Amino acid sequence: MTKSPLLAFAIAAAASLVQLGCAVLPEDAAEEPVDADEQAAIMGNGLTLNGLTFNGLTFNALTFNALTFNGLTLNGPAMAALSDPLGRQKLSAIVACALPKGEAIRLNIDGVDRAFEGSVGLAPEWGKPGGACGESCKSWVSACVISRVNYLGQSVPISVRGKDKALATTREEREGYTAREGAYFGDIFATPQKLYACVAPGASQIPRVCGPSIRDCSPIEVLGACDDVCGHELSDGAFDKCRDRSGKMEKGAVTVFLAP
């Protein structure tokens, strides 16, 4: 059976998690039953609002080492990484951000059938035979995944917005989630990773992602106020493009809103 480039890439990405050791995971990210929804720690069941998701990705699941774009195969180390909940959590986040709702990657891991569900659909072409993840794909998927980090590994609802049709919001969502937190952008596929955030106007901290202080937010680097590092605001309050540490403008920037 021909496997999509997304499947080969994401699983190889997860393989390097074997070297990272253990971390405390949120309770709902524990071992899943046969054919369970692998998105349970990240996505909310029954939510239909396009940008509204549940976050709960841990820092340890976000980071990984030695990621390359060539020669990615379903080898022994790659499959071994998916025996670790951290590896599955990382793959879940990537697939959820890249593929649209209704699409999934299904794998048998240690004798258990698991489904990694799509949800947002920022790079649907990546999951098709012969598909690839170019600069735009990497930028949007990276921003989406970074935005799902939670300092405590807890699952809370967030509204994710940005200048991509997959992130279009409804009036219901905009009215329910009005507390603008900040924007997220970078490149999770680079070596080393480029993980950035900025705080919303009038804010000084991002406790959901950084905990007590943005000064201790590693591996995510907070670059300051979004007004200073991002472009103009869109009609839904999201920031259009943000500048990374090197000065590069990332097209794929997402802005998170919380319920007040």
Side-chain angles (χ1 to χ4, degrees):
M1 178 178 67
T2 301
K3 296 180 177 66
S4 74
L6 171 57
L7 176 60
F9 182 92
I11 292 181
S16 60
L17 289 167
V18 172
Q19 304 173 12
L20 290 178
C22 299
V24 176
L25 291 176
E27 183 177 350
D28 56 2
E31 290 298 319
E32 306 85 343
V34 173
D35 207 26
D37 182 358
E38 194 72 34
Q39 280 305 112
I42 301 173
M43 310 301 294
N45 293 330
L47 292 176
T48 58
L49 301 176
N50 288 344
L52 185 60
T53 70
F54 274 73
N55 75 294
L57 187 66
T58 61
F59 278 132
N60 280 8
L62 171 65
T63 58
F64 51 86
N65 301 314
L67 179 63
T68 63
F69 289 95
N70 299 315
L72 301 180
T73 60
L74 294 173
N75 54 24
M79 292 305 296
L82 293 179
S83 295
D84 188 331
L86 287 177
R88 298 196 298 275
Q89 194 184 37
K90 178 66 167 101
L91 180 56
S92 290
I94 291 175
V95 175
C97 288
L99 299 187
K101 192 173 182 64
E103 295 188 15
I105 289 176
R106 300 181 183 277
L107 294 171
N108 185 284
I109 302 170
D110 298 332
V112 178
D113 291 328
R114 301 186 185 277
F116 298 84
E117 304 285 347
S119 180
V120 183
L122 287 167
E125 71 284 353
W126 196 12
K128 301 184 183 302
C133 189
E135 288 302 313
S136 179
C137 165
K138 287 187 289 184
S139 183
W140 281 110
V141 172
S142 292
C144 177
V145 171
I146 296 168
S147 76
R148 280 157 175 71
V149 168
N150 184 285
Y151 177 76
L152 297 176
Q154 296 176 343
S155 182
V156 298
I158 58 177
S159 173
V160 182
R161 308 175 194 177
K163 195 175 182 179
D164 187 283
K165 62 183 180 180
L167 298 177
T169 56
T170 64
R171 184 176 65 181
E172 179 185 1
E173 181 178 344
R174 294 191 297 274
E175 291 177 350
Y177 291 79
T178 57
R180 185 166 52 178
E181 175 186 72
Y184 302 90
F185 50 99
D187 187 353
I188 65 170
F189 306 115
T191 304
Q193 290 180 316
K194 300 176 181 179
L195 312 173
Y196 301 110
C198 62
V199 296
S204 60
Q205 303 293 336
I206 314 176
R208 176 185 67 89
V209 172
C210 297
S213 173
I214 59 175
R215 296 180 180 178
D216 301 317
C217 201
S218 178
I220 295 177
E221 182 179 3
V222 181
L223 298 180
C226 295
D227 281 347
D228 295 331
V229 300
C230 301
H232 68 279
E233 293 183 26
L234 304 175
S235 60
D236 62 358
F239 290 98
D240 179 26
K241 303 177 184 177
C242 296
R243 185 178 297 103
D244 68 14
R245 172 61 67 185
S246 70
K248 176 185 177 183
M249 291 296 290
E250 287 289 349
K251 175 182 179 182
V254 302
T255 304
V256 168
F257 285 73
L258 306 174

